Amino acid sequence: MNTRQYDYILAVAELKNFGEAAEKCFITQSTLSTMIKRFEDEIGISLFDRKTKPITITKEGKLIIEQLKIIRREIKTLDELVLHTKGELSGELNIGVIPTVAPYLLPLFLGEFSKSYPKVNIIVEEMTTIDIQKSLKNGAIDVGIGAIPLNDNELIEKELYQEPFLLFDCHSQNVEEVVLLDNIDFSHLFLLEEGHCLRTQVEQICQLSKNKHTKINNLQFKTGSIDSLIRFTKANKGITLLPYLATLDLNKKDKKRLASFFNPSPVRAVGLITHQNFVKKKLLGNLAKVISKNIEKILLKDSENKVISPNE
């Protein structure tokens, strides 16, 4: 057995296709197939059913592959620990960011951060919260950026900032600058589709049941994009709740449709998320610093948690 075989097996397990797995591993399909077959012969267990399309994992293979994921993650941790011990900031840093944060936060810090570490290959991918949790545990990514807390014992969270929600009201004729949450007409509320943490947060804020939201008579809408949510809300004269950063690029006309909330203003906490075995502590600390420095220029915060005015 060797670690390259682990990579080949895990690639096939992910892609369910030997050809695509070979391309991902930068080898020929025949070489990949031979190496995996050699591994199977050595342990006496078939990992894949090659007769099915797409390829499926055997019952015994699932157990082996789950263990290989753990072993591969530990090997990666060892490699990172060696570099960290030497004080070398190099290698890869894979970051998963939830879609309701990525387009607004990444432009604020990513360019500066990448220039500061030219020897670190930074790979960023938009992912749902659930996918971030899974990817951190199987070693596919190093760091997640998303809404916290997740209440996951295997993961460690570091809060970066708290972001207020604003009401985007395209239903009322006159929009007040500051509103009470209890006075909102939720029958015209639109939300993101299931699986996005922002939807869950808004539901919790409004204490809505699942059969009451995103309905205007016979109209329902599902999207994973805040931009699409804004457009749809405008087109159908509805309302929605938006995180503060998502409102900064609205035009003047749309900004007049924004309202902040009387204290206590509803907020979401956004933080860095890592596996408990993550060893690149210095790199993580520097990432947190550069994000915090740039986000503080944007968010208006004080010790009294004052309401942010959309006109400021």
Side-chain angles (χ1 to χ4, degrees):
M1 298 183 190
N2 61 66
T3 57
R4 294 303 299 165
Q5 286 175 306
Y6 303 164
D7 294 336
Y8 303 155
I9 292 168
L10 294 178
V12 175
E14 176 190 355
L15 300 172
K16 306 296 189 296
N17 184 285
F18 275 78
E20 293 179 11
E23 290 181 12
K24 181 178 181 179
C25 297
F26 303 103
I27 59 172
T28 64
Q29 183 173 338
S30 61
T31 299
L32 178 135
S33 181
T34 299
M35 293 294 286
I36 292 178
K37 186 64 169 63
R38 187 177 300 171
F39 181 93
E40 290 175 319
D41 291 342
E42 189 171 347
I43 66 173
I45 295 174
S46 294
L47 303 178
F48 303 105
D49 185 348
R50 294 163 172 78
K51 296 179 181 179
T52 59
K53 290 187 178 181
I55 291 169
T56 56
I57 304 172
T58 64
K59 182 179 179 181
E60 298 80 6
K62 289 180 180 178
L63 298 175
I64 302 298
I65 288 169
E66 286 304 311
Q67 191 61 38
L68 287 180
K69 290 178 181 179
I70 295 173
I71 294 171
R72 198 69 192 87
R73 186 180 67 215
E74 292 299 323
I75 292 172
K76 181 180 179 182
T77 300
L78 177 61
D79 293 338
E80 293 172 348
L81 181 60
V82 170
L83 293 174
H84 180 74
T85 303
K86 291 180 178 179
E88 298 179 12
L89 293 178
S90 59
E92 281 190 355
L93 184 69
N94 293 272
I95 305 173
V97 191
I98 60 174
T100 59
V101 166
Y104 315 108
L105 179 62
L106 292 178
L108 299 180
F109 77 91
L110 196 55
E112 177 184 346
F113 182 73
S114 62
K115 289 178 182 178
S116 300
Y117 301 99
K119 293 183 179 181
V120 178
N121 185 27
I122 302 169
I123 303 169
V124 183
E125 181 180 357
E126 285 192 8
M127 310 174 76
T128 64
T129 299
I130 293 176
D131 286 337
I132 285 176
Q133 288 178 273
K134 291 180 180 178
S135 297
L136 286 170
K137 292 177 182 180
N138 65 29
I141 63 172
D142 302 297
V143 181
I145 301 178
I148 57 174
L150 299 180
N151 300 315
D152 191 319
N153 293 332
E154 291 186 53
L155 305 178
I156 297 175
E157 303 167 359
K158 177 181 176 60
E159 183 175 309
L160 294 169
Y161 60 91
Q162 291 195 354
E163 181 178 21
F165 283 94
L166 298 180
L167 177 69
F168 185 53
D169 186 352
C170 297
H171 177 68
S172 305
Q173 287 188 343
N174 298 310
V175 180
E176 300 179 5
E177 284 193 9
V178 187
V179 297
L180 281 172
L181 192 60
D182 292 341
N183 293 341
I184 297 174
D185 180 6
F186 291 128
S187 65
H188 293 269
L189 180 69
F190 288 98
L191 301 178
L192 296 178
E193 65 180 342
E194 298 285 356
H196 289 267
C197 63
L198 185 62
R199 177 192 182 96
T200 304
Q201 292 163 344
V202 173
E203 286 181 336
Q204 291 172 344
I205 291 170
C206 305
Q207 296 181 340
L208 296 174
S209 62
K210 289 186 177 181
N211 60 358
K212 290 184 180 179
H213 53 241
T214 66
K215 288 187 178 180
I216 299 179
N217 297 323
N218 64 333
L219 180 61
Q220 298 186 50
F221 177 63
K222 295 182 179 181
T223 182
S225 162
I226 287 185
D227 182 63
S228 296
L229 178 64
I230 291 172
R231 292 172 182 271
F232 194 83
T233 301
K234 288 168 57 179
N236 292 279
K237 294 181 170 56
I239 66 172
T240 191
L241 270 68
L242 299 174
Y244 180 67
L245 292 182
T247 69
L248 297 181
D249 290 333
L250 293 178
N251 60 45
K252 291 183 178 180
K253 182 178 179 181
D254 288 342
K255 284 186 175 180
K256 291 181 179 179
R257 289 285 165 185
L258 292 173
S260 54
F261 293 94
F262 284 107
N263 288 331
S265 176
V267 299
R268 68 170 176 176
V270 175
L272 294 176
I273 311 157
T274 58
H275 192 269
Q276 58 187 358
N277 295 332
F278 184 76
V279 297
K280 297 179 181 178
K281 301 293 174 52
K282 184 176 181 180
L283 196 59
L284 183 69
N286 292 339
L287 177 62
K289 286 180 182 178
V290 72
I291 293 176
S292 297
K293 179 188 72 173
N294 286 283
I295 199 67
E296 285 173 3
K297 298 176 183 178
I298 305 298
L299 292 177
L300 306 177
K301 299 184 295 183
D302 61 28
S303 59
E304 297 178 357
N305 193 27
K306 292 180 180 179
V307 173
I308 294 180
S309 170
N311 297 319
E312 291 187 49

